[in-house]
Coordinates of all heavy atoms in Angstrom, one line a residue:
M286 N 81.6 256.8 -160.6 CA 81.6 257.8 -159.4 C 83.0 257.8 -158.7 O 83.6 256.7 -158.5 CB 80.5 257.2 -158.4 CG 80.0 258.2 -157.6 SD 78.9 257.5 -156.2 CE 77.6 256.8 -157.2
D287 N 83.5 259.0 -158.5 CA 84.8 259.0 -157.9 C 84.5 258.8 -156.4 O 83.4 258.7 -155.8 CB 85.4 260.4 -158.0 CG 84.5 261.5 -157.3 OD1 83.4 261.9 -157.8 OD2 85.0 262.0 -156.3
P288 N 85.8 258.3 -155.8 CA 85.6 257.8 -154.2 C 85.1 258.8 -153.2 O 84.4 258.4 -152.4 CB 87.3 257.6 -154.0 CG 87.9 257.6 -155.2 CD 87.0 258.3 -156.2
K289 N 85.2 260.2 -153.4 CA 84.8 261.0 -152.6 C 83.2 261.1 -152.6 O 82.5 261.1 -151.5 CB 85.3 262.3 -152.9 CG 85.3 263.4 -151.8 CD 86.0 264.8 -152.1 CE 85.5 265.7 -151.0 NZ 86.0 267.0 -151.5
T290 N 82.7 261.2 -153.8 CA 81.3 261.2 -154.0 C 80.6 259.8 -153.3 O 79.7 259.8 -152.9 CB 80.9 261.2 -155.5 OG1 81.6 262.3 -156.0 CG2 79.4 261.6 -155.7
A291 N 81.4 258.7 -153.6 CA 81.0 257.4 -153.2 C 80.8 257.5 -151.8 O 79.8 257.0 -151.1 CB 81.8 256.4 -153.6
A292 N 81.8 258.0 -151.0 CA 81.9 258.1 -149.7 C 80.7 258.9 -149.0 O 80.1 258.5 -148.1 CB 83.2 258.7 -149.2
L293 N 80.5 260.0 -149.8 CA 79.3 260.9 -149.3 C 77.9 260.2 -149.4 O 77.1 260.3 -148.6 CB 79.4 262.3 -150.2 CG 80.4 263.3 -149.6 CD1 80.4 264.5 -150.6 CD2 80.0 263.8 -148.2
E294 N 77.9 259.5 -150.7 CA 76.7 258.7 -150.9 C 76.4 257.8 -149.8 O 75.3 257.6 -149.2 CB 76.8 257.8 -152.2 CG 76.4 258.6 -153.4 CD 74.8 259.1 -153.5 OE1 74.1 258.2 -153.3 OE2 74.7 260.2 -153.7
K295 N 77.5 257.0 -149.4 CA 77.3 256.1 -148.4 C 77.1 256.6 -147.1 O 76.2 256.0 -146.4 CB 78.7 255.4 -148.3 CG 78.8 254.0 -147.3 CD 79.4 252.9 -148.1 CE 79.4 251.7 -147.2 NZ 78.1 251.4 -146.6
E296 N 77.6 257.8 -146.7 CA 77.3 258.4 -145.4 C 75.8 258.8 -145.4 O 75.1 258.6 -144.4 CB 78.2 259.6 -145.3 CG 78.2 260.2 -143.8 CD 79.0 261.4 -143.8 OE1 80.1 261.6 -144.3 OE2 78.5 262.3 -143.3
H297 N 75.4 259.4 -146.5 CA 73.9 259.8 -146.7 C 73.0 258.6 -146.5 O 72.1 258.6 -145.8 CB 73.7 260.4 -148.0 CG 72.3 260.9 -148.2 ND1 71.8 262.0 -147.6 CD2 71.4 260.4 -148.9 CE1 70.5 262.1 -147.9 NE2 70.2 261.0 -148.7
E298 N 73.4 257.5 -147.1 CA 72.7 256.2 -147.0 C 72.5 255.8 -145.7 O 71.5 255.3 -145.1 CB 73.3 255.2 -147.9 CG 72.3 254.3 -148.7 CD 73.0 253.5 -149.7 OE1 73.5 252.3 -149.3 OE2 73.1 254.0 -150.8
E299 N 73.6 255.8 -144.8 CA 73.8 255.4 -143.4 C 72.9 256.1 -142.6 O 72.1 255.5 -141.8 CB 75.2 255.5 -142.9 CG 76.2 254.5 -143.4 CD 75.6 253.1 -142.9 OE1 75.5 252.9 -141.8 OE2 75.7 252.1 -143.8
V300 N 72.9 257.4 -142.8 CA 72.0 258.3 -142.0 C 70.5 258.2 -142.3 O 69.8 258.2 -141.4 CB 72.4 259.8 -142.1 CG1 71.5 260.8 -141.4 CG2 73.9 260.1 -141.8
T301 N 70.3 258.0 -143.5 CA 68.8 257.8 -144.0 C 68.2 256.5 -144.1 O 67.0 256.4 -144.5 CB 68.6 258.6 -145.2 OG1 69.4 258.1 -146.2 CG2 68.9 260.1 -145.1
K302 N 69.0 255.5 -143.9 CA 68.4 254.2 -144.3 C 67.5 253.7 -143.1 O 66.5 252.9 -143.4 CB 69.5 253.1 -144.3 CG 70.1 252.6 -143.1 CD 71.1 251.4 -143.3 CE 71.9 251.2 -142.0 NZ 73.1 250.3 -142.4
V303 N 67.4 254.2 -142.0 CA 66.6 253.7 -140.9 C 65.2 254.5 -140.9 O 65.3 255.8 -140.8 CB 67.2 254.0 -139.5 CG1 66.3 253.4 -138.4 CG2 68.6 253.3 -139.3
K304 N 64.2 253.9 -141.4 CA 63.0 254.5 -141.5 C 62.4 254.7 -140.0 O 62.1 253.7 -139.4 CB 62.0 253.6 -142.3 CG 60.9 254.4 -142.9 CD 60.1 253.6 -143.9 CE 59.2 252.7 -143.1 NZ 58.3 251.9 -144.0
N305 N 62.6 255.9 -139.6 CA 62.2 256.1 -138.3 C 60.7 256.1 -137.8 O 60.2 255.7 -136.7 CB 62.9 257.4 -137.7 CG 62.8 258.5 -138.7 OD1 62.2 258.5 -139.7 ND2 63.1 259.8 -138.2
I306 N 60.0 256.7 -138.7 CA 58.5 256.8 -138.5 C 57.8 255.9 -139.5 O 57.9 256.1 -140.7 CB 57.9 258.2 -138.5 CG1 58.6 259.1 -137.5 CG2 56.4 258.3 -138.3 CD1 58.7 260.5 -137.8
N307 N 57.0 255.0 -138.9 CA 56.3 254.0 -139.9 C 55.1 254.6 -140.6 O 54.9 254.2 -141.8 CB 56.0 252.7 -139.0 CG 57.3 251.8 -138.9 OD1 58.1 251.8 -139.7 ND2 57.4 251.2 -137.7
T308 N 54.2 255.1 -139.8 CA 52.9 255.6 -140.4 C 52.8 257.0 -139.8 O 53.1 257.4 -138.8 CB 51.9 254.8 -140.0 OG1 51.8 254.6 -138.6 CG2 51.6 253.5 -140.8
I309 N 52.0 257.8 -140.7 CA 51.4 259.1 -140.2 C 49.9 259.1 -140.2 O 49.4 258.5 -141.2 CB 52.0 260.2 -141.0 CG1 51.7 260.0 -142.5 CG2 53.5 260.4 -140.9 CD1 51.8 261.5 -143.1
E310 N 49.3 259.9 -139.5 CA 47.9 260.0 -139.6 C 47.7 261.4 -140.0 O 48.1 262.3 -139.3 CB 47.3 259.6 -138.2 CG 45.7 259.5 -138.5 CD 45.0 258.9 -137.3 OE1 45.4 257.8 -136.9 OE2 44.1 259.6 -136.9
F311 N 47.0 261.6 -141.1 CA 46.8 263.0 -141.6 C 45.4 263.0 -142.0 O 44.8 262.6 -142.9 CB 47.6 263.2 -142.9 CG 47.5 264.6 -143.5 CD1 48.3 265.5 -143.0 CD2 46.8 264.8 -144.7 CE1 48.1 266.9 -143.4 CE2 46.7 266.0 -145.1 CZ 47.5 267.2 -144.5
G312 N 44.8 263.8 -140.9 CA 43.2 264.0 -141.1 C 42.6 262.6 -140.9 O 42.9 261.9 -139.9
K313 N 41.8 262.1 -141.9 CA 41.2 260.7 -141.9 C 42.1 259.7 -142.4 O 41.7 258.7 -142.6 CB 39.9 260.9 -142.4 CG 39.7 261.2 -143.9 CD 38.4 261.2 -144.3 CE 38.2 261.7 -145.7 NZ 36.9 261.6 -146.3
Y314 N 43.3 260.0 -143.0 CA 44.0 259.2 -143.7 C 45.2 258.7 -142.7 O 45.8 259.4 -142.1 CB 44.6 259.7 -144.9 CG 43.7 260.2 -145.9 CD1 43.2 261.7 -146.0 CD2 42.9 259.4 -146.7 CE1 42.3 262.1 -146.9 CE2 41.9 259.8 -147.5 CZ 41.7 261.2 -147.7 OH 40.6 261.7 -148.5
E315 N 45.5 257.4 -143.0 CA 46.6 256.9 -142.3 C 47.6 256.3 -143.4 O 47.1 255.6 -144.4 CB 46.3 255.5 -141.5 CG 47.4 255.2 -140.5 CD 46.9 254.0 -139.7 OE1 45.8 254.2 -139.0 OE2 47.6 253.1 -139.7
I316 N 48.8 256.9 -143.5 CA 49.7 256.7 -144.6 C 51.0 256.1 -144.1 O 51.7 256.5 -143.2 CB 50.0 258.1 -145.2 CG1 48.7 258.9 -145.5 CG2 50.8 257.9 -146.5 CD1 48.8 260.2 -145.7
D317 N 51.3 255.0 -144.9 CA 52.6 254.5 -144.6 C 53.8 255.2 -145.1 O 53.6 255.9 -146.3 CB 52.7 253.1 -145.3 CG 51.9 252.0 -144.5 OD1 51.7 252.3 -143.3 OD2 51.5 251.1 -145.2
T318 N 54.9 255.5 -144.4 CA 55.9 256.2 -145.0 C 56.9 255.4 -145.8 O 57.0 254.2 -145.6 CB 56.6 256.8 -143.8 OG1 57.4 255.9 -143.0 CG2 55.8 257.8 -143.0
W319 N 57.7 256.1 -146.6 CA 58.6 255.4 -147.5 C 60.2 255.6 -147.1 O 60.9 254.7 -147.2 CB 58.5 255.8 -149.0 CG 57.3 255.2 -149.6 CD1 56.3 254.5 -149.1 CD2 57.0 255.4 -151.0 NE1 55.4 254.1 -150.0 CE2 55.8 254.6 -151.1 CE3 57.7 256.0 -152.1 CZ2 55.3 254.5 -152.5 CZ3 57.2 256.0 -153.4 CH2 55.9 255.2 -153.6
Y320 N 60.3 256.7 -146.6 CA 61.8 257.1 -146.3 C 62.0 257.6 -144.9 O 61.0 258.0 -144.2 CB 62.2 258.1 -147.3 CG 62.2 257.7 -148.7 CD1 61.2 258.2 -149.5 CD2 63.0 256.7 -149.2 CE1 61.1 257.8 -151.0 CE2 62.9 256.3 -150.5 CZ 62.0 256.7 -151.3 OH 62.0 256.4 -152.6
F321 N 63.2 257.8 -144.6 CA 63.5 258.5 -143.4 C 63.0 259.8 -143.4 O 62.9 260.5 -144.4 CB 65.1 258.6 -143.3 CG 65.7 259.4 -142.3 CD1 65.7 259.0 -141.0 CD2 66.0 260.7 -142.5 CE1 66.3 259.7 -140.0 CE2 66.5 261.5 -141.6 CZ 66.6 261.0 -140.2
S322 N 62.4 260.3 -142.3 CA 62.0 261.9 -142.2 C 62.7 262.5 -141.2 O 62.7 262.1 -139.9 CB 60.6 261.8 -142.1 OG 60.0 260.7 -141.4
P323 N 63.3 263.7 -141.5 CA 64.0 264.5 -140.5 C 63.2 265.3 -139.5 O 63.4 266.4 -139.6 CB 64.9 265.3 -141.4 CG 64.2 265.6 -142.6 CD 63.2 264.3 -142.7
Y324 N 62.4 264.6 -138.8 CA 61.7 265.3 -137.6 C 62.7 265.6 -136.5 O 63.6 264.9 -136.3 CB 60.5 264.5 -137.3 CG 59.3 264.7 -138.2 CD1 58.9 263.8 -139.1 CD2 58.7 265.9 -138.0 CE1 57.9 264.0 -139.9 CE2 57.5 266.1 -138.8 CZ 57.1 265.3 -139.8 OH 56.1 265.5 -140.5
P325 N 62.2 266.4 -135.6 CA 63.1 266.7 -134.5 C 63.3 265.5 -133.6 O 62.4 264.5 -133.6 CB 62.2 267.7 -133.6 CG 61.5 268.4 -134.6 CD 61.3 267.5 -135.7
E326 N 64.3 265.4 -132.9 CA 64.7 264.1 -132.0 C 63.6 263.6 -131.4 O 63.2 262.3 -131.3 CB 65.9 264.4 -131.2 CG 66.5 263.2 -130.5 CD 67.8 263.1 -130.6 OE1 68.6 264.0 -131.0 OE2 68.3 261.9 -130.4
E327 N 62.8 264.5 -130.7 CA 61.8 264.1 -129.8 C 60.7 263.2 -130.5 O 60.0 262.3 -130.0 CB 61.0 265.3 -129.3 CG 60.3 265.2 -127.9 CD 59.5 266.4 -127.7 OE1 60.0 267.5 -128.1 OE2 58.4 266.3 -127.1
Y328 N 60.4 263.4 -131.8 CA 59.4 262.8 -132.6 C 60.1 261.8 -133.4 O 59.2 261.1 -134.3 CB 58.8 263.9 -133.5 CG 58.1 264.9 -132.7 CD1 58.7 266.1 -132.4 CD2 56.7 264.8 -132.4 CE1 58.2 267.1 -131.7 CE2 56.1 265.8 -131.6 CZ 56.8 266.9 -131.3 OH 56.2 268.0 -130.6
S329 N 61.4 261.6 -133.5 CA 61.9 260.7 -134.5 C 61.9 259.2 -134.1 O 62.2 258.4 -134.9 CB 63.5 261.1 -134.8 OG 64.0 260.9 -133.5
N330 N 61.4 258.9 -133.0 CA 61.5 257.4 -132.7 C 60.0 256.9 -132.4 O 59.9 256.0 -131.7 CB 62.3 257.1 -131.4 CG 63.7 257.1 -132.0 OD1 64.1 256.6 -133.0 ND2 64.6 257.8 -131.2
V331 N 58.9 257.6 -132.7 CA 57.6 257.2 -132.7 C 57.2 256.4 -133.8 O 57.8 256.5 -134.9 CB 56.6 258.4 -132.5 CG1 56.8 259.1 -131.0 CG2 56.7 259.3 -133.6
D332 N 56.4 255.4 -133.6 CA 55.9 254.4 -134.5 C 55.0 255.3 -135.5 O 54.9 255.0 -136.8 CB 55.3 253.3 -134.0 CG 54.9 252.2 -135.0 OD1 55.8 251.9 -135.8 OD2 53.8 251.8 -135.1
K333 N 54.1 256.1 -134.9 CA 53.1 256.8 -135.6 C 53.0 258.2 -135.3 O 53.2 258.5 -134.1 CB 51.8 256.2 -135.4 CG 50.6 256.6 -136.3 CD 49.4 255.8 -136.0 CE 48.3 256.2 -136.9 NZ 47.0 255.4 -136.3
L334 N 53.0 259.1 -136.3 CA 53.0 260.5 -136.1 C 51.7 261.1 -136.5 O 51.2 260.7 -137.6 CB 54.2 261.2 -136.8 CG 54.7 262.5 -136.4 CD1 55.2 262.5 -134.9 CD2 55.7 263.1 -137.3
Y335 N 51.1 261.9 -135.7 CA 49.9 262.5 -136.0 C 49.9 263.9 -136.5 O 50.7 264.8 -136.0 CB 48.9 262.6 -134.8 CG 48.7 261.1 -134.3 CD1 49.6 260.5 -133.4 CD2 47.6 260.4 -134.5 CE1 49.4 259.3 -132.9 CE2 47.3 259.1 -134.0 CZ 48.2 258.5 -133.3 OH 48.1 257.4 -132.8
I336 N 49.5 264.2 -137.8 CA 49.6 265.6 -138.3 C 48.3 266.2 -138.5 O 47.5 265.6 -139.2 CB 50.5 265.3 -139.6 CG1 51.9 264.8 -139.3 CG2 50.7 266.8 -140.2 CD1 52.5 264.6 -140.6
C337 N 48.2 267.4 -138.1 CA 47.1 268.1 -138.2 C 46.7 268.5 -139.7 O 47.7 269.2 -140.3 CB 46.9 269.4 -137.3 SG 45.6 270.4 -137.6
E338 N 45.7 268.2 -140.2 CA 45.4 268.5 -141.6 C 45.1 269.9 -142.0 O 45.2 270.6 -143.0 CB 44.2 267.8 -142.2 CG 42.9 268.1 -141.5 CD 41.8 267.1 -141.6 OE1 41.4 266.7 -142.8 OE2 41.4 266.6 -140.6
F339 N 44.8 270.9 -140.9 CA 44.5 272.2 -141.0 C 45.8 273.1 -140.9 O 46.0 274.0 -141.6 CB 43.5 272.7 -140.0 CG 42.3 271.9 -140.2 CD1 41.9 271.0 -139.2 CD2 41.5 272.1 -141.3 CE1 40.8 270.3 -139.4 CE2 40.3 271.5 -141.4 CZ 39.9 270.6 -140.5
C340 N 46.6 272.7 -140.0 CA 47.8 273.6 -139.7 C 49.2 272.9 -139.7 O 50.2 273.5 -139.6 CB 47.7 274.4 -138.3 SG 47.8 273.2 -136.9
L341 N 49.1 271.6 -140.0 CA 50.3 270.8 -140.2 C 51.1 270.7 -139.0 O 52.3 270.3 -139.0 CB 51.1 271.3 -141.3 CG 50.5 271.3 -142.8 CD1 51.4 271.9 -143.9 CD2 50.1 269.9 -143.1
K342 N 50.7 270.9 -137.9 CA 51.3 270.6 -136.6 C 51.5 269.2 -136.3 O 50.5 268.6 -136.6 CB 50.4 271.3 -135.5 CG 51.1 271.1 -134.1 CD 50.3 271.8 -133.0 CE 50.5 271.2 -131.6 NZ 51.7 271.8 -131.1
Y343 N 52.6 268.7 -136.0 CA 52.7 267.1 -135.8 C 52.8 266.9 -134.3 O 53.3 267.7 -133.5 CB 53.9 266.6 -136.5 CG 55.0 267.5 -136.3 CD1 56.1 267.4 -135.3 CD2 55.4 268.5 -137.4 CE1 57.3 268.0 -135.3 CE2 56.7 269.2 -137.3 CZ 57.4 269.1 -136.2 OH 58.5 269.8 -136.0
M344 N 52.0 265.7 -134.0 CA 52.0 265.4 -132.6 C 52.4 263.9 -132.4 O 52.0 263.2 -133.5 CB 50.7 265.6 -132.1 CG 50.3 267.1 -131.8 SD 48.7 267.6 -132.2 CE 48.7 267.7 -133.9
K345 N 52.8 263.4 -131.3 CA 53.2 262.0 -131.2 C 52.1 261.2 -130.5 O 52.1 260.0 -130.5 CB 54.6 261.8 -130.5 CG 54.9 262.5 -129.3 CD 56.2 262.2 -128.9 CE 56.6 263.0 -127.6 NZ 57.9 262.7 -127.1
S346 N 51.3 261.9 -129.8 CA 50.2 261.2 -129.1 C 48.8 261.4 -129.6 O 48.4 262.5 -129.8 CB 50.3 261.5 -127.7 OG 49.2 262.2 -127.1
P347 N 48.0 260.3 -129.7 CA 46.7 260.5 -130.2 C 45.8 261.3 -129.4 O 44.9 262.1 -129.9 CB 46.2 259.0 -130.2 CG 47.1 258.2 -129.4 CD 48.4 258.9 -129.4
K348 N 46.0 261.4 -128.0 CA 45.3 262.2 -127.1 C 45.4 263.7 -127.5 O 44.6 264.5 -127.6 CB 45.8 262.0 -125.8 CG 44.8 261.3 -124.8 CD 45.3 261.3 -123.5 CE 44.5 260.3 -122.5 NZ 45.3 260.0 -121.4
T349 N 46.7 264.1 -127.6 CA 47.1 265.5 -128.0 C 46.4 265.8 -129.3 O 45.9 266.9 -129.4 CB 48.6 265.6 -128.1 OG1 49.3 264.9 -127.1 CG2 48.9 267.1 -128.0
Y350 N 46.5 265.0 -130.2 CA 45.9 265.2 -131.6 C 44.5 265.4 -131.3 O 43.9 266.3 -132.1 CB 46.2 263.8 -132.5 CG 45.9 264.1 -133.8 CD1 46.2 265.2 -134.6 CD2 45.0 263.0 -134.5 CE1 45.7 265.3 -136.0 CE2 44.7 263.1 -135.8 CZ 45.0 264.2 -136.5 OH 44.6 264.3 -137.8
Q351 N 43.9 264.6 -130.7 CA 42.3 264.8 -130.6 C 42.0 266.0 -129.9 O 41.2 266.8 -130.4 CB 41.9 263.5 -129.6 CG 40.5 263.0 -130.0 CD 40.5 262.5 -131.4 OE1 41.3 261.8 -131.9 NE2 39.4 262.7 -132.0
R352 N 42.6 266.4 -128.9 CA 42.4 267.6 -128.2 C 42.7 268.8 -129.1 O 42.0 269.8 -129.1 CB 43.5 267.7 -127.0 CG 42.6 268.0 -125.8 CD 43.5 268.2 -124.5 NE 44.2 266.9 -124.2 CZ 45.4 266.8 -123.8 NH1 46.2 267.9 -123.7 NH2 45.9 265.6 -123.6
H353 N 43.8 268.6 -129.9 CA 44.2 269.8 -130.9 C 43.0 269.9 -131.9 O 42.6 271.0 -132.2 CB 45.4 269.3 -131.5 CG 45.9 270.4 -132.7 ND1 46.5 271.5 -132.3 CD2 45.5 270.4 -133.9 CE1 46.7 272.2 -133.5 NE2 46.2 271.6 -134.5
K354 N 42.4 268.9 -132.4 CA 41.4 268.9 -133.4 C 40.1 269.6 -132.9 O 39.5 270.3 -133.5 CB 41.1 267.5 -134.0 CG 41.9 267.1 -135.1 CD 41.3 265.9 -135.8 CE 41.3 264.6 -135.1 NZ 41.1 263.6 -136.0
V355 N 39.7 269.2 -131.6 CA 38.6 269.7 -131.0 C 38.7 271.2 -130.7 O 38.0 272.0 -131.1 CB 38.3 269.0 -129.5 CG1 37.3 269.9 -128.9 CG2 37.8 267.7 -129.8
F356 N 40.0 271.6 -130.3 CA 40.3 273.0 -130.1 C 40.2 273.8 -131.5 O 39.7 274.9 -131.4 CB 41.7 273.2 -129.5 CG 42.0 274.6 -129.5 CD1 41.6 275.5 -128.4 CD2 43.0 275.2 -130.2 CE1 42.0 276.7 -128.3 CE2 43.5 276.5 -130.1 CZ 42.8 277.3 -129.1
F357 N 40.7 273.2 -132.6 CA 40.6 273.9 -133.8 C 39.3 274.0 -134.3 O 38.9 275.2 -134.7 CB 41.5 273.0 -134.9 CG 42.4 273.9 -135.6 CD1 43.5 274.4 -135.1 CD2 42.0 274.1 -136.9 CE1 44.4 275.1 -135.9 CE2 42.8 275.0 -137.7 CZ 44.0 275.5 -137.2
L358 N 38.4 272.9 -134.1 CA 37.1 273.0 -134.6 C 36.3 274.1 -133.8 O 35.5 274.9 -134.3 CB 36.4 271.7 -134.3 CG 35.2 271.3 -135.2 CD1 35.7 271.0 -136.6 CD2 34.7 270.0 -134.6
F359 N 36.6 274.2 -132.5 CA 35.9 275.2 -131.7 C 36.4 276.6 -132.1 O 35.4 277.5 -132.2 CB 36.5 275.0 -130.2 CG 36.0 276.1 -129.3 CD1 34.8 276.3 -128.7 CD2 37.0 277.0 -128.8 CE1 34.4 277.3 -127.9 CE2 36.7 278.1 -127.9 CZ 35.3 278.2 -127.6
L360 N 37.6 276.7 -132.4 CA 38.1 278.1 -132.8 C 37.4 278.5 -134.2 O 36.9 279.6 -134.4 CB 39.7 278.0 -133.0 CG 40.4 279.3 -132.9 CD1 40.3 279.7 -131.5 CD2 41.8 279.0 -133.3
F361 N 37.3 277.6 -135.1 CA 36.7 277.7 -136.4 C 35.2 278.1 -136.2 O 34.9 279.1 -136.8 CB 37.0 276.5 -137.2 CG 36.5 276.6 -138.5 CD1 37.3 277.4 -139.4 CD2 35.4 276.1 -139.0 CE1 37.1 277.6 -140.8 CE2 35.0 276.3 -140.4 CZ 35.9 277.0 -141.2
S362 N 34.6 277.3 -135.4 CA 33.0 277.6 -135.2 C 32.9 278.9 -134.6 O 31.9 279.6 -134.9 CB 32.4 276.4 -134.7 OG 33.1 275.9 -133.7
F363 N 33.7 279.2 -133.7 CA 33.5 280.4 -132.9 C 33.8 281.6 -133.8 O 33.0 282.6 -133.7 CB 34.5 280.6 -131.7 CG 34.3 281.6 -130.7 CD1 33.2 281.6 -130.0 CD2 35.3 282.6 -130.7 CE1 32.9 282.7 -129.2 CE2 35.1 283.7 -129.8 CZ 33.9 283.8 -129.0
S364 N 34.8 281.6 -134.6 CA 35.1 282.9 -135.5 C 33.9 282.9 -136.5 O 33.5 284.0 -136.9 CB 36.5 282.6 -136.1 OG 36.6 281.3 -136.7
F365 N 33.4 281.8 -136.9 CA 32.3 281.8 -137.9 C 31.1 282.3 -137.3 O 30.4 283.2 -137.8 CB 31.9 280.4 -138.4 CG 30.9 280.4 -139.3 CD1 31.0 280.6 -140.7 CD2 29.5 279.9 -138.9 CE1 30.0 280.6 -141.5 CE2 28.5 279.9 -139.8 CZ 28.7 280.3 -141.2
F366 N 30.9 281.9 -135.9 CA 29.7 282.6 -135.2 C 29.8 284.0 -135.0 O 28.8 284.8 -135.3 CB 29.6 281.8 -133.8 CG 28.7 282.4 -132.9 CD1 27.3 282.2 -133.1 CD2 29.0 283.3 -131.8 CE1 26.4 282.7 -132.2 CE2 28.1 283.8 -131.0 CZ 26.8 283.6 -131.2
L367 N 31.1 284.5 -134.6 CA 31.3 286.0 -134.6 C 31.0 286.7 -135.8 O 30.3 287.8 -135.8 CB 32.8 286.2 -134.1 CG 33.0 286.1 -132.6 CD1 34.5 286.4 -132.3 CD2 32.1 287.0 -131.8
F368 N 31.5 286.2 -137.0 CA 31.4 286.8 -138.1 C 29.9 286.9 -138.5 O 29.3 288.0 -138.9 CB 32.1 285.8 -139.2 CG 31.8 286.3 -140.7 CD1 32.5 287.4 -141.0 CD2 31.0 285.7 -141.5 CE1 32.3 287.9 -142.4 CE2 30.8 286.1 -142.8 CZ 31.5 287.3 -143.2
F369 N 29.1 285.7 -138.3 CA 27.7 285.8 -138.5 C 26.9 286.8 -137.7 O 26.1 287.4 -138.1 CB 27.2 284.3 -138.3 CG 25.8 284.2 -138.8 CD1 25.4 284.2 -140.0 CD2 24.9 283.8 -137.8 CE1 24.1 284.0 -140.5 CE2 23.4 283.7 -138.2 CZ 23.1 283.8 -139.7
F370 N 27.4 286.8 -136.4 CA 26.7 287.7 -135.5 C 26.8 289.2 -135.8 O 26.0 289.9 -135.8 CB 27.3 287.3 -134.1 CG 26.4 288.0 -132.9 CD1 25.3 287.3 -132.6 CD2 26.9 289.0 -132.2 CE1 24.4 287.9 -131.6 CE2 26.1 289.4 -131.2 CZ 24.8 289.0 -130.9
S371 N 28.2 289.4 -136.2 CA 28.4 290.8 -136.5 C 27.7 291.4 -137.8 O 27.3 292.4 -138.0 CB 29.8 291.1 -136.7 OG 30.3 290.4 -137.8
Y372 N 27.5 290.3 -138.7 CA 26.7 290.6 -139.8 C 25.2 290.9 -139.5 O 24.6 291.8 -139.9 CB 26.8 289.4 -140.8 CG 25.9 289.3 -142.0 CD1 26.4 290.2 -143.1 CD2 24.7 288.7 -142.1 CE1 25.6 290.3 -144.3 CE2 24.0 288.9 -143.2 CZ 24.4 289.7 -144.3 OH 23.6 289.8 -145.4
L373 N 24.8 290.1 -138.5 CA 23.2 290.3 -138.2 C 23.2 291.7 -137.4 O 22.2 292.3 -137.7 CB 22.9 289.4 -137.1 CG 22.5 287.9 -137.8 CD1 22.0 286.9 -136.6 CD2 21.4 288.1 -138.7
M374 N 24.1 292.1 -136.8 CA 24.1 293.4 -135.9 C 24.2 294.6 -136.8 O 23.5 295.6 -136.7 CB 25.3 293.4 -135.0 CG 25.1 292.6 -133.8 SD 23.9 293.3 -132.8 CE 23.1 292.2 -131.9
K375 N 24.8 294.4 -138.0 CA 25.0 295.6 -139.0 C 23.8 295.9 -139.7 O 23.5 296.9 -140.1 CB 26.1 295.2 -139.9 CG 27.4 295.8 -139.5 CD 28.4 295.8 -140.6 CE 29.1 294.3 -140.6 NZ 30.1 294.3 -141.6
N376 N 22.9 294.7 -140.0 CA 21.7 294.9 -140.8 C 20.4 294.9 -140.0 O 20.4 294.3 -139.0 CB 21.7 293.8 -141.7 CG 22.8 293.8 -142.6 OD1 22.7 294.7 -143.6 ND2 23.8 293.0 -142.5
Ligands
LIG426 ZN1 46.0 272.2 -136.4

């Protein structure tokens, strides 16, 4: 490896060696991370990151995550209900 590549390698290693987020919660799964993940600064120093399994939105607090899930479920059931209702009205 030539010195320039080696230097770049080293720099890359320096930037990415700190595993910033330890675990993620994705739906019902809790997953340990392996590497550095380039999330926005605001999210880069949390121990656990919550990721919505439906829309992949990431959140740093379990409260927000819970609220987001409830909202999504509500939206989903509501659109289903509308669909069903319009079907009944047509026939
Ligand atoms: Zn979502």
Side-chain angles (χ1 to χ4, degrees):
M286 205 189 297
D287 66 283
K289 204 177 165 192
T290 314
L293 279 173
E294 268 307 300
K295 183 129 181 55
E296 195 188 311
H297 178 75
E298 217 169 88
E299 281 301 309
V300 174
T301 56
K302 79 177 170 192
V303 184
K304 203 171 77 171
N305 47 352
I306 296 157
N307 282 323
T308 45
I309 59 160
E310 195 172 307
F311 184 74
K313 59 178 178 178
Y314 301 103
E315 197 177 305
I316 306 157
D317 286 335
T318 60
W319 283 9
Y320 301 110
F321 171 83
S322 26
Y324 274 103
E326 183 128 19
E327 198 191 332
Y328 297 90
S329 62
N330 284 316
V331 292
D332 188 48
K333 194 173 175 183
L334 200 65
Y335 300 85
I336 302 173
C337 174
E338 66 201 296
F339 301 108
C340 67
L341 300 180
K342 182 184 160 77
Y343 45 87
M344 291 145 274
K345 53 182 176 179
S346 103
K348 246 189 200 161
T349 320
Y350 184 49
Q351 215 60 39
R352 232 180 293 139
H353 178 84
K354 275 203 288 196
V355 168
F356 176 71
F357 226 76
L358 208 68
F359 170 75
L360 209 68
F361 190 73
S362 39
F363 187 66
S364 47
F365 182 77
F366 174 77
L367 275 183
F368 177 76
F369 188 68
F370 196 71
S371 61
Y372 177 79
L373 282 182
M374 282 288 148
K375 262 192 280 181
N376 294 283

